[in-house]
């Protein structure tokens, strides 16, 4: 493998979002598929809107500011996942529901319904090529 040492580095991104609706860069944010008929928003790919049945979607930026709407403090998880952590559903200021975690609290028990949050990103591991996986969560605003 030593003959590969002098080759120019391949075009491998140094950061990869953990989900394709997370956009990285200087201004990380989420992107949703918004139904052009009823404005329902989805993070997964749909052939038709679950609310109105229409089949056209537009890619829209989701507001980074959010409010904590529902959460539970998780004390048990798969090996390698630090506990406790706060599993949450937040509502962004533009009305999008996002399933995520609340991160950055010094004590997870301080999570409270209605608390103001803002989107944040963090590294969640590096692969053999040095590409860092980036996840998102919501931190207290
Ligand atoms: Zn719709």
């Amino acid at each position: 493998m030593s003959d590969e040492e002098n080759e120019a580095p391949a075009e491998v991104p140094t950061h990869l979002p953990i989900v394709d609706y997370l956009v990285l860069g200087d201004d990380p944010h989420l992107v949703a598929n918004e139904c052009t008929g009823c404005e329902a928003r989805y993070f997964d790919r749909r052939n038709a809107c679950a609310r109105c049945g229409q089949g056209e979607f537009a890619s829209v930026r989701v507001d980074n500011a959010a409010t904590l709407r529902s959460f539970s403090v998780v004390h048990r998880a798969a090996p390698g996942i630090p506990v406790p952590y706060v599993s949450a559903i937040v509502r962004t200021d533009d009305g999008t529901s996002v399933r995520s975690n609340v991160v950055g609290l010094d004590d997870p028990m301080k999570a409270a319904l209605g608390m103001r949050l803002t989107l944040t990103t963090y590294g969640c591991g590096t692969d053999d090529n040095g590409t860092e996986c980036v996840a998102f969560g919501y931190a207290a605003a």
Side-chain angles (χ1 to χ4, degrees):
M1 299 302 269
S2 61
D3 58 334
E4 293 181 2
E5 283 176 9
N6 293 326
E7 287 183 10
E11 289 297 319
V12 176
T14 55
H15 295 87
L16 264 186
I18 193 167
V19 289
D20 59 9
Y21 54 87
L22 171 62
V23 178
L24 302 177
D26 293 337
D27 180 25
H29 60 274
L30 302 183
V31 172
N33 298 315
E34 184 177 271
C35 173
T36 57
C38 73
E39 298 186 345
R41 289 184 173 186
Y42 304 96
F43 287 109
D44 53 349
R45 190 175 162 76
R46 301 274 171 141
N47 290 322
C49 176
R51 186 193 287 172
C52 76
Q54 198 264 97
E56 279 185 49
F57 297 89
S59 183
V60 295
R61 178 183 173 138
V62 176
D63 202 327
N64 283 356
T67 301
L68 183 56
R69 300 302 294 263
S70 174
F71 72 95
S72 59
V73 178
V74 178
H75 292 276
R76 285 169 163 267
I81 298 177
V83 289
Y85 68 90
V86 181
S87 175
I89 296 174
V90 308
R91 182 174 297 260
T92 63
D93 284 5
D94 55 15
T96 309
S97 273
V98 184
R99 183 178 297 273
S100 185
N101 293 338
V102 177
V103 299
L105 298 176
D106 55 358
D107 177 0
M109 302 311 284
K110 289 181 180 172
L113 290 178
M115 72 185 292
R116 294 290 294 159
L117 302 165
T118 189
L119 184 91
T120 187
T121 60
Y122 56 95
C124 57
T126 303
D127 71 13
D128 292 343
N129 298 319
T131 302
E132 185 178 37
C133 173
V134 179
F136 73 96
Y138 286 83

